[in-house]
Amino acid sequence: MTDVRAADDRAAVIEAGALAAVERLLAAGTPYSGLSMQRIADEAGVARSTLYLYFREKNALLIRLSSGLKDGSYQLMSSWSPDGPDALDRLSDTIRDVIAYYRRRRHLLRATLESADRDPEMGRIWADELDPFQELCRHWIRTAQAQGRTAADVDPVTASQVIVIGGFRVIAQQAVAGDPDRDATVAHELAANQWYGAFRRPA
């Protein structure tokens, strides 16, 4: 039992070290396309053969890191509620916080988007990561419809796709390459489009 626990502890240390190594290299400006398993192993201080025991390719490392990236933004978005007279202002503030969150991690976001564009499997995995956001959005729209607060002809599924997929592209562009001084403006316009386009569309 002690041997098994020791092996598990060693695996956890190696995996954490490899993930941290990738993030350090990306943060230092290394493009994702320029990363190799050998370079990651060197940065993590392990043999390449050891690294392959835990991650079959560098995308496996990026998938783990990008999953954590989405968790943080989901926590921010799910804290918002469409109820209350200041809901639109709070939505704008929340989107601005999400932009800032991604900007602090733009090296990881840039690598994830680069990989998703080039690798169909990574693209599918990244798209799946957006599903919880769409589910949350559908819930908000259906609740608003049941309460008579938005038009009955809003299609929750399609509207959620537009809000989440389209909104994420705007947020990602602003976080990776936009002027931070424009964060509030971008967030306000995005929030207003979502609010009046779906959450409170006139009947």
Side-chain angles (χ1 to χ4, degrees), residues 99 102-103 106-107 109-110 113 171-178:
I99 293 172
Y102 277 123
R103 178 175 288 111
R106 60 184 175 273
H107 56 283
L109 177 61
R110 186 184 295 113
L113 296 177
I171 289 170
Q173 175 65 27
Q174 180 64 18
V176 170

Side-chain angles (χ1 to χ4, degrees), residues 64-81:
R64 285 275 296 274
L65 289 169
S66 64
S67 178
L69 185 68
K70 280 291 181 63
D71 289 345
S73 61
Y74 182 81
Q75 184 175 4
L76 288 169
M77 284 307 309
S78 61
S79 69
W80 177 74
S81 166

Side-chain angles (χ1 to χ4, degrees), residues 3-18:
D3 290 343
V4 172
R5 186 179 298 110
D8 289 344
D9 290 345
R10 172 173 165 74
V13 169
I14 291 173
E15 290 181 6

Side-chain angles (χ1 to χ4, degrees), residues 5-7 9 39 58 62 71 73 91 96 108 122 124 139 154 160 165 181 184 189-191:
R5 186 179 298 110
D9 290 345
R39 188 167 184 186
K58 67 178 184 178
L62 188 59
D71 289 345
S73 61
L91 178 58
R96 184 176 59 185
L108 183 54
M122 186 65 185
R124 178 187 58 76
H139 167 71
V154 177
S160 296
I165 298 173
D181 290 340
E189 292 300 329
L190 189 54

Side-chain angles (χ1 to χ4, degrees), residues 75-99 140 149 184 187-188 190-192 194-196 199-200:
Q75 184 175 4
L76 288 169
M77 284 307 309
S78 61
S79 69
W80 177 74
S81 166
D83 298 324
D86 62 342
L88 175 55
D89 289 338
R90 287 188 288 103
L91 178 58
S92 179
D93 290 343
T94 299
I95 293 174
R96 184 176 59 185
D97 289 344
V98 171
I99 293 172
W140 285 332
R149 295 183 176 183
H188 173 76
L190 189 54
Q194 295 176 357
W195 183 256
Y196 295 112
F199 299 129
R200 294 295 185 270

Side-chain angles (χ1 to χ4, degrees), residues 24-69:
R24 283 197 303 273
L25 289 167
L26 293 173
T30 305
Y32 181 69
S33 58
L35 285 184
S36 65
M37 291 294 275
Q38 182 63 62
R39 188 167 184 186
I40 295 168
D42 291 343
E43 179 69 20
V46 298
R48 187 177 65 172
S49 58
T50 299
L51 183 61
Y52 274 116
L53 292 175
Y54 300 94
F55 299 98
R56 70 184 188 281
E57 58 182 0
K58 67 178 184 178
N59 270 2
L61 286 147
L62 188 59
I63 288 168
R64 285 275 296 274
L65 289 169
S66 64
S67 178
L69 185 68

